[in-house]
Amino acid sequence: MLLAYPFRVLVPRRAAPEAATSMAVALLLLAGAADLVPTSVVIALAAGAGATLAGLRLSRLATRRGTDSTPRTAGVLLDAAVVVAGLTAVVLPLADIGHTLAVLIGSLVVAALSATGLYRLPGRSRPAASVRLRWLVESTGPAVGLALAGWLLLPEGGPPVPVRLVCALALGGLGMAALNAFAGPRRRSGAAVCRGGVLLTLGGLVLLATLPSAPAGRAALLAVPPLVFGMLLVAVGAADAADDAEPAEPVAAAWPRSVLPAAVLLLASGLHLGAGRAPDPTSVLLALAAVPPLVLRELLRANDAPTSGRRAAHRRPAGRSLRHRRAAPGRWPGTPESPPERGAGAPEGAATTMGAGSTWSPDHGSAWSGLNRRPATASGTPGDRAALLDALAAIGDVPAPAGALLLVDLHGTEGVGPTAREDVLAEAVHRAREVIAPDDLVTGCTGTGFAVVTAAGPVLAYALGTRLLSALSPPYQLAGAMLRVQTSIGLAEVSGAGPADVLRQAELARRRAVQLGRDRVEWYDAFLEEQLVRRLDLERELPGAVARGELDLVYQPVVDLADGQPVGAEALLRWRSPVLGTVLPAELLPVAEDLDLVGELEWWVLDRACRQLSDWSVGVRELWMAVNVTTRELTTPDFVQRLAAVLAAYGVPPERLVVEVSEPRVAGDLPTVVARLAGLRSLGVRTALDDFRAEHASLAQLRRLPIDLLKVGPELVGARPDGQPPLIDVVVNVGERLGVEIVAEELESSTQVEGARRGGCRYGQGFALARPATAERVEAYFEEFPSASR
C-alpha cells in the first residue's frame, strides 16, 4: 500500500522526473536482489538520485519570489533535510564512528530539520485536542503491532538487542504516523503528503541503520523504497502545499490504519515462524504492550456512553418506557404536574403557551454552553429541558434502547411580536402532531422551536423528519398577513448515549442544518463535531485576516483551445491561516457571508488582482484577468465607480479585466444586476457569467444579461445519458447569436478538453490544461508562450 501510493500521487500530477526516478530505483532494486549490483552501490545510487531530484524541486520552492516568506522558509528547511538524508545514506556509513551510529546521527538531523520545515509549511492543520487524543490512543495499538513486526523481521545478527528494540519501536511509530498522514481526513493535501514523505524517509534511515551493511547483504535493500519515495513525496507535497493543491472536503479513509498494521504483523509472524525462529521474551513483551492501548481506547469509547451516575439521575421506575407515558389533559408539556405531551389525544390549546416558562436557548453562546443549563419555570422547578431529558432517559432504560430525538427550529419569526410568535409555534406543533405517531412525544425546547422524541429506528426517524419539513413549510396565517418560515431539524439516535449527550448531538445536527441552508434534516454522525469546531474556528479567525496579511491569490491560466496559447488567468482567493492552514473559497466564503465580510475580501481581491495584472502588462503580452464577484457586492450603488478608481490607480486598461458573476445568484435581483453589468461594459470592463446551467430559465435569462463570456462546466461537454448530443452544442449556438464567447472550465482530462474543442468552445480552463499556482509560477508558464497576446 505504502509503496504503491507514490505512483498514484506523482504520476497524475505529471511529475515525469519523479516517475522516471521511481522506475530507475525499481530497476536498481531488481538488479541488487539478483546480485547483479552490490547492495551498497544500489543504496548509494538510489539515495543519491532521490535526494538530488527532491533537492532540486525544493530549491525552487526555497528561491521562489513572492511576498510570503513562509513557503520559502519551509522549502529551505525541507531541502536541507533531504540533502542530509541522501548524504546519510551515501557518505556517513563510510565514517569511522560506525555504520549504525552514523546513520542514527543523520536521522536525528533530518528529523529536526523536517519538523521545523513542516511547521512552516502552508496548509498544515491543527485538529482539536480531543481529536488528537483519540487519534493518539487509537494509533498506539497498531503502532505497537508494527513495532512487533519490525522486531520479528529485523535480523538477529545485526546491532545489539537494545538498538534493535529502539529501531523496531521507531519503525512502528513512524509507520503508523505515515499511515495517519496518508489515510487521514486531509490525506490528499500537500501538507499531509509532505508529512508522510518525511516519516517514510526517517523510516528508511532507521532500516538502513539496523539492517546488515555488508556489500552482499541484500536485506538492506528494504530500506531503499521508503527512503527514496519518502524524499520524493517531501518535494511533491511541499510544492502542492505552497500552491494549495488541497481538497475542499476532507474525508478520512479509516480502514488502512487498522487493516495494514494487522496484515504486516501477520506476514512478519508467518515469516518468523517459517524461518524456525521461536518467540523471544522481547516479542512477547511487545505483544503484551499492545493490550493497554486497546483497553484505553475502549475506556474512551465508554466515556461517550452515559456514566452510571448520570444514568441514575434520569432512571425511571422499572418497566417504564416512552409508550407507557400519558399526558394529563390541560397541562403544558414539561411542567412538573404532567409529563411531556404526546402526539395524539392532547388538547388543541395545550401548545399555545409553548416556551412561556423556558429560558433555555441553544442559540446563545457556543454549541455546548446552552446545553448544560438547567432552566426553571416561574415557580423555580425544572422546565421543558428537564422533561425532555426525562423522556430520553426513559427510552434509555429499555433493555434494548432504540429511538431518536428531533430538534425542530423555525426561522423567520424574528420580526413578529411575541404573541404572533406563539401563534406560529402553536400552529407548527399542531401540524407536527398530525404527522407523528400516536406514541411519539412533543415537548417545548426553545422559544422558536420544539422537540420530538420517537421510539422509531433511525431510518424511520429520518423519514419522520422529512414529513415534518413538508408539514411545516406552508405559510402561516397571521393577522392580515401570511408568514413564511424556514425549518432546520437535527436528528440524533437515543441508543448508546446518555440523555444530555443525545440532546447535544441533536443540537449539533440542527446547527449543521442551519449552516447548510436550512429547510433540511441533518443526522448526527462522527464527523459532525469536528466540522462544527472547524466552523467555529473559522468564524473566530477570519475577522482581521486582511489586516494581518493572511490572504493570498493563486492564478489559473485560461487557454485558447484552438492553438493552446494562454489568453488570461482567473484570480482565486486563498486564506493562509497560521492556525487553520490553507482555507479554500468553498469553505471561506460561506463564513464570510455570515460574518458580513464578503465586501472586504472581494475588494482586497480586486485590488491585488489589478496590481498583478499591471505587473504582467509590461511588454507586448496582452492577457486578461478574471475576478469573481458576488451579486451582493456587484449590486452596491458605488461598485462601478470604485472599480474604475482601482483600475486607474494601477494603470490597467479596463478591457483587460473580466468581472465574473455566478449565474444561479443573479435571479434574486436581476434588474440591478443587469444595470451594473451594463455599467461595467460602458466602462470598458468585460463581464462573464459563471456556473451556467443551460436550463430553460437560464437560457431565457441569458438574453437579458449584457455579458461577454459564458463559463460552462464539463457536464455540458460530454454526451448525455439518454444518447442525445451534448448540451454544449445548444449553448454555443445561443452564444454565437448573442455574440458571447464560451469558456469551458473544470476540464480535468484530455477527453473533456477534446470534447470542449469539438463542441465549439473557444477557451478552456482546468487541471488538464494548467493548475492554479502562484504569480511567479504562472508568469514562468506564460514565458513558455512568447507569442501569447489576446
Side-chain angles (χ1 to χ4, degrees), residues 313-341:
H314 299 290
R315 190 170 300 276
R316 314 301 290 168
R320 177 180 290 183
S321 67
L322 175 64
R323 64 184 68 252
H324 292 123
R325 301 175 66 108
R326 290 292 183 265
R331 299 291 186 185
W332 163 241
T335 58
E337 295 82 2
S338 67
E341 184 181 0

Side-chain angles (χ1 to χ4, degrees), residues 13 34 45 130 206 259 346 396 436 444 475 542 560 564 617 655 660 739 744 750 790:
R13 299 184 185 280
L45 291 177
S130 60
V206 172
V259 174
I436 65 176
L542 182 56
D560 191 317
S617 299
E655 65 275 7
E660 295 185 5
S750 57
R790 296 290 188 276

Side-chain angles (χ1 to χ4, degrees), residues 12 28 83 101 146 200 224 235 275 277 305 447 453 462 494 515 546 580 606 642 713 718:
L28 278 173
V83 170
L101 183 59
L146 289 176
L200 285 180
V224 173
R277 298 165 59 186
V453 181
Y462 189 85
V494 173
Q515 293 174 359
V546 175
L580 304 174
L606 281 167
R642 293 180 64 183

Side-chain angles (χ1 to χ4, degrees), residues 56-385:
L56 289 175
R57 293 288 195 190
L58 290 167
S59 64
R60 297 178 185 176
L61 179 62
T63 58
R64 75 190 320 177
R65 292 179 293 170
T67 58
D68 188 2
S69 63
T70 300
R72 296 200 304 272
T73 304
V76 171
L77 293 169
L78 294 173
D79 192 6
V82 298
V83 170
V84 172
L87 292 175
T88 300
V90 177
V91 178
L92 286 183
L94 304 178
D96 295 334
I97 61 176
H99 169 81
T100 300
L101 183 59
V103 177
L104 290 179
I105 291 176
S107 302
L108 293 176
V109 177
V110 172
L113 292 171
S114 301
T116 311
L118 289 174
Y119 181 81
R120 297 285 296 177
L121 192 66
R124 63 186 182 90
S125 59
R126 184 180 300 172
S130 60
V131 177
R132 295 199 300 269
L133 175 61
R134 183 171 296 278
W135 275 51
L136 176 62
V137 171
E138 295 192 353
S139 301
T140 302
V144 175
L146 289 176
L148 175 57
W151 173 263
L152 296 176
L153 291 175
L154 291 176
E156 293 181 348
V161 171
V163 176
R164 287 177 55 213
L165 179 59
V166 170
C167 292
L169 293 174
L171 287 174
L174 292 171
M176 196 61 214
L179 274 176
N180 282 333
F182 292 140
R186 296 188 178 272
R187 61 188 184 276
R188 295 180 183 175
S189 69
V193 171
C194 186
R195 183 167 60 252
V198 168
L199 295 167
L200 285 180
T201 302
L202 291 174
L205 291 176
V206 172
L207 285 173
L208 195 63
T210 312
L211 297 174
S213 57
R218 288 181 293 177
L221 294 176
L222 295 175
V224 173
L227 178 63
V228 176
F229 294 148
M231 290 188 290
L232 296 180
L233 287 176
V234 169
V236 172
D240 283 351
D243 294 338
D244 199 31
E246 186 171 359
E249 294 292 336
V251 178
W255 69 266
R257 302 196 298 270
S258 57
V259 174
L260 288 181
V264 171
L265 179 57
L266 182 62
L267 177 62
S269 301
L271 294 176
H272 184 82
L273 295 176
R277 298 165 59 186
D280 56 274
T282 304
S283 61
V284 175
L285 290 175
L286 285 175
L288 294 176
V291 177
L294 296 177
V295 174
L296 182 57
R297 182 188 67 180
E298 295 304 320
L299 289 176
L300 283 178
R301 291 182 176 180
N303 188 49
D304 294 336
T307 62
S308 58
R310 284 162 51 197
R311 295 271 314 200
H314 299 290
R315 190 170 300 276
R316 314 301 290 168
R320 177 180 290 183
S321 67
L322 175 64
R323 64 184 68 252
H324 292 123
R325 301 175 66 108
R326 290 292 183 265
R331 299 291 186 185
W332 163 241
T335 58
E337 295 82 2
S338 67
E341 184 181 0
R342 307 189 129 285
E348 292 299 327
T352 58
T353 60
M354 173 171 282
S358 177
T359 60
W360 172 70
S361 174
D363 290 323
H364 294 234
S366 71
W368 294 276
S369 61
L371 295 176
N372 295 318
R373 302 176 188 160
R374 291 288 295 185
T377 60
S379 60
T381 55
D384 296 329
R385 180 176 183 269

